[in-house]
Each structure stands twice: as structure tokens, then as C-alpha cells.
Amino acid sequence: MTQMAKALLVDDRRENLMALEAILQGLPVQAVAVESGEAALKQLLVDDFAVILLDAQMPDMDGFETAGHIKRRERTRHVPIIFLTAADRDAQLALRGYQVGAVDYLTKPFDPWVLRAKVSVFVELWVKTRQLAAQSDLVRERDAQWRVLTDAVDEATTLLHADDPDARDRAV
């Protein structure tokens, strides 16, 4: 059975997390909400995520610092991050978000349908990547089985030829 994709929602305001959960309702993704960058980093140690929706402006560890930690970890560096912020449309903040590895930067208020579409794309990519990895594992397993079988046939053929010196002349 395939594991359901998860979206990590990171915001220091509970009402924002509830709004994000409502926006994602009905998508084939399980929302996991946390209220700090530190909690996000801990969650990333135990779960795999298709996408991270990350508030840029949080106390203590802000979204940019959190994203920096996420992108430095081997296990999480490829997880797409979409920054969400109530900050004005300051191009410098958006640039900073992209510099730390974000795939997108949305300012509030944003269109919930646009966010749903973006999350859907990353969920679909996550699912397809998992399917390709499973198929790749299956192909490797079958290749290994094939090698074992061909080695056994080669060994049997060698033994047959060793018992019958005339078989070599017929095989050539």
C-alpha cells in the first residue's frame, strides 16, 4: 500500500495553520501543522514530506533560517518549500526566500486556489517519484534474479560440456 503524501505547515499563528488545513482539505495530502521552525525541523527527522508551506516571519527561528537548515540536511534538501508571508511585497524578502532554496514565495492574502494547485503539483511529483523508485527497486530485484538464473544455466551448460567432450564440437 502506498504511503499518503504529507504537507508540513509551519506558522507561529494557530489560526493561520487552521486556514491552511482548510485550504488543503480534499487534496490527497495529509497536513501536518507545527508552530515553529524548531518543531518543523524535529518533524522532518521522523516524516517525509511532499511539500513544506513555511511562514517567513516567525519569532525565534524565522522561516529563512528554518529553510536554511532544511536545505543543508541530506534527507530534506530536495523537499520543495513554498514561503507564505504577510509581509508586504518586498522583493528583497522574496529574493532571500529563493536564495535559501524556496520554490515559491506567496504574500498574503493569496488566492487559495493557486496554493491548492501548487501543492497538488508537488504532491503529484512526490507520488510519481515514489512510484518510480518502487519500479526501479523491482527492476533491480528482477535483474539480480535474472543474473542468478543465467549464472545457473551457464554453470549447468559448463558441467554438461565437461561430461561430454564431443558437446564442445557440436556447440561451436
Side-chain angles (χ1 to χ4, degrees):
M1 181 174 188
T2 23
Q3 179 185 5
M4 179 179 249
K6 295 179 183 177
L8 181 59
L9 318 178
V10 188
D11 198 304
D12 60 307
R13 299 183 64 193
R14 186 73 199 133
E15 60 272 15
N16 289 345
L17 291 171
M18 289 172 54
L20 288 173
E21 288 172 336
I23 289 169
L24 300 181
Q25 196 74 35
L27 292 179
V29 64
Q30 177 186 348
V32 176
V34 296
E35 295 182 11
S36 70
E38 293 88 354
L41 295 174
K42 287 178 184 174
Q43 194 65 48
L44 286 161
L45 290 173
V46 295
D47 278 327
D48 292 324
F49 291 92
V51 63
I52 300 169
L53 305 182
L54 180 58
D55 182 22
Q57 311 261 305
M58 294 185 293
D60 300 322
M61 183 186 301
D62 68 14
F64 303 109
E65 186 179 352
T66 303
H69 287 292
I70 291 167
K71 293 302 180 178
R72 280 193 291 276
R73 290 180 178 172
E74 180 63 34
R75 180 173 181 214
T76 58
R77 76 173 32 141
H78 300 294
V79 179
I81 298 171
I82 299 175
F83 271 108
L84 306 173
T85 185
D88 61 2
R89 299 179 190 275
D90 182 356
Q92 287 301 97
L93 283 178
L95 179 61
R96 186 173 172 205
Y98 291 120
Q99 286 174 334
V100 294
V103 296
D104 210 344
Y105 190 95
L106 301 176
T107 55
K108 299 171 189 171
F110 52 81
D111 184 335
W113 294 104
V114 170
L115 182 60
R116 283 176 63 88
K118 290 174 185 284
V119 168
S120 292
V121 166
F122 290 116
V123 166
E124 187 174 333
L125 286 171
W126 185 87
V127 168
K128 297 291 184 200
T129 300
R130 292 286 175 124
Q131 288 172 345
L132 284 173
Q135 288 175 350
S136 178
D137 290 345
L138 185 59
V139 167
R140 273 195 294 279
E141 184 180 310
R142 289 196 175 147
D143 281 349
Q145 290 172 345
W146 182 255
R147 278 192 298 279
V148 168
L149 290 173
T150 56
D151 288 349
V153 168
D154 289 347
E155 186 177 326
T157 303
T158 301
L159 288 173
L160 286 172
H161 287 226
D163 290 344
D164 181 6
D166 295 331
R168 253 185 311 225
D169 296 334
R170 288 192 303 266
V172 177

